[in-house]
Amino acid sequence: MSTVAALTQADVQAVVATCAPGQHLLPVAGGTKPGLSSSSRDDVTRVDVSALRGILAYDPAELTLTARAGTPIAELQAALSEHGQYLPFDPPFAAAGATLGGVTAAGASGPGAWRYGGVRDFVLGVRLVDGAGRLIYAGGKVVKNAAGFDVPKLMVGSIGRLGIMLELSLKVFPRAPETVTLTCELGDTEAAAEAALALMRSPIHLDALDIAAGGRLLARVAGRSGEVEARAERLAGVLPGPPVRLRGDDERELWRQVWSSVTETDADTLVRATSSLPGAAGLVAALAATAEASVHYTLGATAAWIRWPRAAPIDRLDALLAQRGLAGMVLIGSPERPLIGHQGGGVFAERIARAIDPDSRFLEL
Amino acid sequence: MGERLLTGPAQLAVFASDGLTAFSERPLAVALPESTEEVAAIVRACHRAGVPFVPRGSGTSLSGGSVPVPGGVVIACNRLNRVLRVDPLTRTAVVQPGVINLAVSAAAAAHGLQYAPDPSSQSVCTIGGNVAFNSGGAHCLKHGMTSNHVLAIRAILPDGELVELGSAQGSAGPDWVGMFCGSEGLFGIAVEITLRLVPVPEAVCTALAGYDSLQAAGEAVARILREGLLPVAVEIMDAVAIEAAEASVKPGYPECAALLIVELEGEREAVQADRLVLESLLARSGASDVRITEDPAERALIWKGRKGAFSSVGWLAPDYIVQDGVVPRTKLGYALAEIDRMSAQAGIRIANVFHAGDGNLHPLILYDGAQAGATDRAHQLAGEILRLCIALGGSITGEHGVGLEKRDFLPLMFSEDDIAFMRRIRHAVDPDELSNRGKMLAMS
Ligand SMILES: Cc1cc2nc3c(=O)[nH]c(=O)nc-3n(C[C@H](O)[C@H](O)[C@H](O)COP(=O)(O)OP(=O)(O)OC[C@H]3O[C@@H](n4cnc5c(N)ncnc54)[C@H](O)[C@@H]3O)c2cc1C
């Protein structure tokens, strides 16, 4: 594997256009998810687009933003927070240097996405380079647009295999001024899932709902000062035991700690998988029976972040997920097969991938 | 298929047009399949014979999307109308494509859940049509469009092959579901759709504010967004639209040149807190008349007036075109003033009723098709409005799709390369352009 750095849009186009037969390209920017952005094959060249960065347009009154794909998420967050706004999909790996393009390509959203949706629900437009090196624009820059195929959405989860993104437009939201987090140790995933279900049945909209390994429940509410505490109180009443309430710095520190223990690993393979609340305890049990794995559930347990020992064969995790109809993406670990488990799409996927990249210049999905 | 294959001229005439009556075409036949297998068999037969087909729901498309194609078959999904499952634990529903939008919420109501996207046509349009057009509605400002609520799709591709996209649990890989949504029937027929449900809100509060100009109402919208409020709906109706609503539904709106409707929803505490902010904001916004209600019956009437606005306009003119364009929301005031000027210049009356919160304009261009040249002049004005939207950095359609109507406007937004890219994708999935030929992309 070698790496070329693209300094301009034209560089990216040229690299793709001149890619030799049998050779493949893989875009990389922040490199925070090496399972997606590295390769051990010598027919693969990485295209480093991290120099293509910067915010191109941000009008707080418009609640939309356009930035180059290599822009660090942290830079976007800083610009937004000056105006009380944020990226509601709450990208993980932001502190480690994740970029807008990388987060979109991984389709990875953080715990805060529970309230308003993930990356797919906020991406509006994309400029990309296709498999022939052409510059393509799709979507739009306004919050609503139904013209043409929704290629911006297709880029979400495309892991650099369906074009190299150069620029993305997003909608953003105002950030609620206050948050409160309740946590509860419930002993195991089953008990925590049951409590999570009770929370979901209550009329309280949660800002985040996670179940950490070992059955620790974390529920966050967001809103205005005064009313947010009242809602947290009502939530507490639904929980089986008295929760710990956290706010301000303590609250931020808790979430930072919990999520760095999920995403920071050198020793394990890190897989983001689809999951469901009713199946949460079953998946944990099945994983535990196979390897020393641990699972952090987020987004109301519709996403599982699985730490899988490097020594254990990934094929077993693959089979286990496939059996349950779940899909997984290897974010950290061996890059040979990033998509595991039950992957839909079938010939629809194959045909569209071929249309975008007829000469297989990008890595296969 | 027997009596479910319609070929009689009178039977076919019913399917000749959709909600945009300017286009009409007699189909070869109309098939009414009752199962996925039947859809697959019909599509395979079309594929073998090289006969184009048009998927159809309730035919309420406003862009000519479901108009038959010459020499083609219409595959009407109306009998595929079962809600297959509602799962309160995962907050999902699995439905067939012919299910009416409102029927999903009705099926979910027992669990305190609802289906959020609410096109004004929701009492008649189908989920299949909603998926194909990625339809929106008044409450999409906070909730998002149809595709934000679609988790999985089973589809019959244009060659009859069945594919499964996404899953009830979401996906970890390219968003094939997102790509299928909004594809205007060009990728075949959705036969089973898994939808996300949301809890019915505990509290809802609806505010009406009357202004003496559209511009003033538009500025109030900008203030609301600047304030950090996130209402579930922000709509505007102008005097002509109000007049039409009062002539038919009689919602008893304040008398004004521009009516702003703002709705907040959520938990009691959150709605109360936001209501205070909204009230003080509206009080300072130059509104002549502000009314706020939490009464469900009053709210229902307000929305009946708003959602019935398109059909109410029928009271004012024999014919009208519903335009659907988007401008950046900070340019709403300017866009409305321009449209007013264009309307005066052309001597054509326009009613404005639109999703102000996301800059999605719906100028209703009123005309009388019986007058010589009136239809052409109305369409010309509709086109000029789209050019205005693009000049301001917006879009030629926010939710009604490209269909037949806006095909020629696609190059306003996209380069030749961009359109060729879409065409390559279309051809990879459907080389013979059998599925909804000539919609969105002109036949090549
Ligand atoms: C009074 C009125 C108000 C409206 N208000 C709104 C609004 O607020 N927001 C909005 O977005 N739209 C609105 N519309 C437009 C229209 O109702 C929507 O586009 C709706 O989604 C169309 O649904 P339908 O079942 O009538 O589909 P049809 O018109 O029958 O078809 C629409 C498109 O979907 C395709 N299609 C249908 N079924 C399938 C399937 N199973 N698989 C694949 N493709 C399929 C068709 O080929 C066609 O291209 C309104 C229309 C009217 C008449």
Side-chain angles (χ1 to χ4, degrees):
Chain A
M1 178 183 73
S2 60
T3 304
V4 295
L7 301 179
T8 64
Q9 199 160 279
D11 284 354
V12 179
Q13 287 185 266
V15 170
V16 178
T18 58
C19 176
Q23 294 293 307
H24 307 285
L25 303 170
L26 181 63
V28 55
T32 56
K33 298 168 278 284
L36 307 179
S37 58
S38 61
S39 174
S40 53
R41 290 161 44 171
D42 47 19
D43 60 350
V44 173
T45 302
R46 299 201 308 172
V47 186
D48 183 350
V49 295
S50 55
L52 299 172
R53 60 184 281 180
I55 297 174
L56 299 171
Y58 169 44
D59 180 355
E62 199 58 54
L63 292 136
T64 56
L65 173 154
T66 298
R68 293 206 178 87
T71 313
I73 291 290
E75 190 177 323
L76 300 179
Q77 287 171 328
L80 289 165
S81 72
E82 271 182 43
H83 300 276
Q85 298 179 355
Y86 78 131
L87 299 173
F89 50 93
D90 191 13
F93 301 102
T99 63
L100 177 57
V103 163
T104 306
S109 301
W114 180 233
R115 191 169 161 103
Y116 298 116
V119 198
R120 77 180 297 261
D121 301 302
F122 287 88
V123 44
L124 302 171
V126 65
R127 191 181 306 282
L128 61 93
V129 173
D130 76 0
R134 297 185 200 92
L135 206 55
I136 306 294
Y137 189 82
K141 294 189 165 76
V142 277
V143 292
K144 220 166 161 185
N145 166 39
F149 294 133
D150 202 342
V151 178
K153 272 209 180 56
L154 180 62
M155 290 297 116
V156 176
S158 63
I159 55 171
R161 270 73 167 171
L162 295 172
I164 301 183
M165 288 178 265
L166 298 175
E167 180 188 315
L168 285 148
S169 293
L170 301 170
K171 71 178 174 177
V172 300
F173 271 178
R175 188 197 269 288
E178 300 282 332
T179 57
V180 179
T181 294
L182 305 180
T183 75
C184 225
E185 296 288 348
L186 290 158
D188 59 25
T189 307
E190 195 173 346
E194 212 160 291
L197 205 57
L199 291 180
M200 282 176 57
R201 286 211 186 95
S202 86
I204 309 290
H205 289 284
L206 296 171
D207 189 58
L209 178 59
D210 280 24
I211 300 173
R216 180 186 199 187
L217 188 73
L218 298 100
R220 188 167 71 206
V221 277
R224 290 178 192 277
S225 147
E227 62 89 15
V228 76
E229 294 81 357
R231 286 191 289 139
E233 245 359 89
R234 280 168 72 190
L235 267 187
V238 178
L239 290 171
V244 175
R245 289 176 184 67
L246 291 170
R247 316 194 47 165
D249 288 344
D250 292 344
E251 185 191 22
R252 271 188 295 279
E253 181 55 20
L254 169 75
W255 283 98
R256 195 197 60 72
Q257 267 180 19
V258 166
W259 271 83
S260 56
S261 77
V262 174
T263 57
E264 286 168 20
T265 173
D266 292 324
D268 293 334
T269 293
L270 179 65
V271 173
R272 178 179 67 87
T274 59
S275 61
S276 73
L277 194 51
L283 179 62
V284 168
L287 288 168
T290 319
E292 287 275 316
S294 73
V295 187
H296 181 96
Y297 286 107
T298 187
L299 307 176
T302 59
W305 289 67
I306 302 169
R307 285 183 55 158
W308 184 256
R310 281 281 161 95
I314 194 84
D315 290 357
R316 277 207 240 148
L317 178 57
D318 175 37
L320 215 141
L321 291 175
Q323 241 170 39
R324 289 174 160 66
L326 304 175
M329 185 183 282
V330 179
L331 301 176
I332 298 178
S334 161
E336 297 326 312
R337 197 156 56 97
L339 299 184
I340 60 174
H342 173 79
Q343 293 286 340
V347 292
F348 184 68
E350 287 164 23
R351 291 173 188 172
I352 290 181
R354 211 181 315 128
I356 295 176
D357 180 24
D359 301 325
S360 300
R361 290 179 183 166
F362 304 127
L363 274 176
E364 64 277 13
L365 272 163
Chain B
M1 297 214 7
E3 64 194 26
R4 288 184 291 108
L5 185 70
L6 314 179
T7 50
Q11 291 173 311
L12 297 182
V14 180
F15 294 87
S17 288
D18 61 14
L20 177 67
T21 48
F23 299 98
S24 120
E25 183 70 49
R26 181 71 59 90
L28 205 60
V30 174
L32 294 163
E34 286 184 346
S35 66
T36 295
E37 293 70 30
E38 283 188 356
V39 174
I42 298 164
V43 171
R44 272 198 303 272
C46 287
H47 183 248
R48 264 198 310 274
V51 172
F53 61 89
V54 176
R56 186 173 172 116
S58 298
T60 64
S61 156
L62 291 171
S63 57
S66 41
V67 172
V69 300
V73 172
V74 168
I75 303 178
C77 297
N78 312 76
R79 295 200 181 190
L80 293 160
N81 59 356
R82 281 180 303 138
V83 174
L84 301 173
R85 277 191 297 285
V86 174
D87 181 355
L89 293 186
T90 54
R91 290 182 180 171
T92 55
V94 182
V95 307
Q96 291 186 314
V99 167
I100 301 298
N101 174 297
L102 264 185
V104 182
S105 290
H111 304 289
L113 299 170
Q114 63 179 10
Y115 176 61
D118 64 334
S120 299
S121 51
Q122 68 188 139
S123 60
V124 287
C125 66
T126 65
I127 294 298
N130 294 175
V131 166
F133 272 159
N134 189 18
S135 299
H139 292 75
C140 290
L141 179 58
K142 182 168 176 180
H143 288 296
M145 311 282 284
T146 298
S147 72
N148 303 119
H149 299 265
V150 178
L151 293 164
I153 295 175
R154 300 183 85 195
I156 305 290
L157 296 184
D159 58 358
E161 185 144 356
L162 177 81
V163 287
E164 313 229 0
L165 315 177
S167 79
Q169 286 80 37
S171 60
D175 192 352
W176 305 113
V177 174
M179 184 65 175
F180 192 94
C181 288
S183 61
E184 302 200 6
L186 270 61
F187 291 154
I189 302 190
V191 288
E192 208 176 285
I193 302 134
T194 305
L195 302 170
R196 184 201 310 281
L197 302 171
V198 299
V200 175
E202 182 182 42
V204 184
C205 156
T206 313
L208 295 180
Y211 295 87
D212 56 14
S213 72
L214 274 177
Q215 205 130 7
E219 274 155 27
V221 174
R223 280 175 175 228
I224 290 171
L225 297 174
R226 264 204 310 273
E227 195 71 36
L229 281 172
L230 198 57
V232 67
V234 177
E235 302 277 308
I236 291 180
M237 296 171 74
D238 73 1
V240 187
I242 296 170
E243 181 192 332
E246 295 298 342
S248 50
V249 175
K250 302 188 177 42
Y253 291 144
E255 262 181 51
C256 55
L259 175 71
L260 177 65
I261 307 175
V262 183
E263 190 155 281
L264 303 169
E265 66 164 47
E267 304 92 298
R268 289 191 305 267
E269 299 87 349
V271 169
Q272 283 318 317
D274 282 351
R275 176 181 170 154
L276 292 177
V277 176
L278 179 65
E279 265 174 333
S280 98
L281 186 153
L282 291 177
R284 288 176 283 120
S285 70
S288 54
D289 191 349
V290 177
R291 300 179 201 167
I292 301 196
T293 179
E294 295 185 22
D295 178 62
E298 283 181 30
R299 178 171 74 249
L301 188 60
I302 290 170
W303 285 111
K304 195 173 168 202
R306 163 60 188 90
K307 292 190 177 178
F310 292 177
S311 35
S312 300
V313 162
W315 290 68
L316 301 182
D319 298 289
Y320 63 91
I321 300 168
V322 181
Q323 188 50 290
D324 169 42
V326 185
V327 297
R329 29 200 173 184
T330 46
K331 303 209 168 112
L332 258 184
Y334 176 78
L336 292 166
E338 272 301 285
I339 290 173
D340 195 36
R341 193 190 55 75
M342 289 155 84
S343 153
Q345 196 173 23
I348 298 176
R349 231 177 149 198
I350 290 182
N352 277 293
V353 37
F354 56 97
H355 310 304
D358 34 39
N360 188 184
L361 301 172
H362 287 321
L364 298 151
I365 299 162
L366 314 184
Y367 66 99
D368 178 358
Q371 286 174 10
T375 308
D376 286 346
R377 282 198 303 278
H379 278 279
Q380 201 175 338
L381 180 57
E384 280 168 30
I385 292 175
L386 288 189
R387 283 193 192 88
L388 169 70
C389 292
I390 296 304
L392 294 176
S395 166
I396 57 169
T397 168
E399 53 183 22
H400 295 169
V402 175
L404 279 177
E405 185 203 14
K406 292 186 175 165
R407 242 173 28 185
D408 298 342
F409 292 95
L410 217 48
L412 285 182
M413 272 182 83
F414 299 110
S415 73
E416 262 174 49
D417 273 355
D418 302 340
I419 294 174
F421 179 80
M422 291 188 222
R423 214 179 266 290
R424 279 193 296 277
I425 290 178
R426 150 68 145 175
H427 283 157
V429 178
D430 184 4
D432 306 318
E433 301 186 22
L434 292 180
S435 194
N436 223 5
R437 174 179 290 172
K439 312 299 173 63
M440 188 200 293
L441 302 167
M443 206 191 154
S444 59

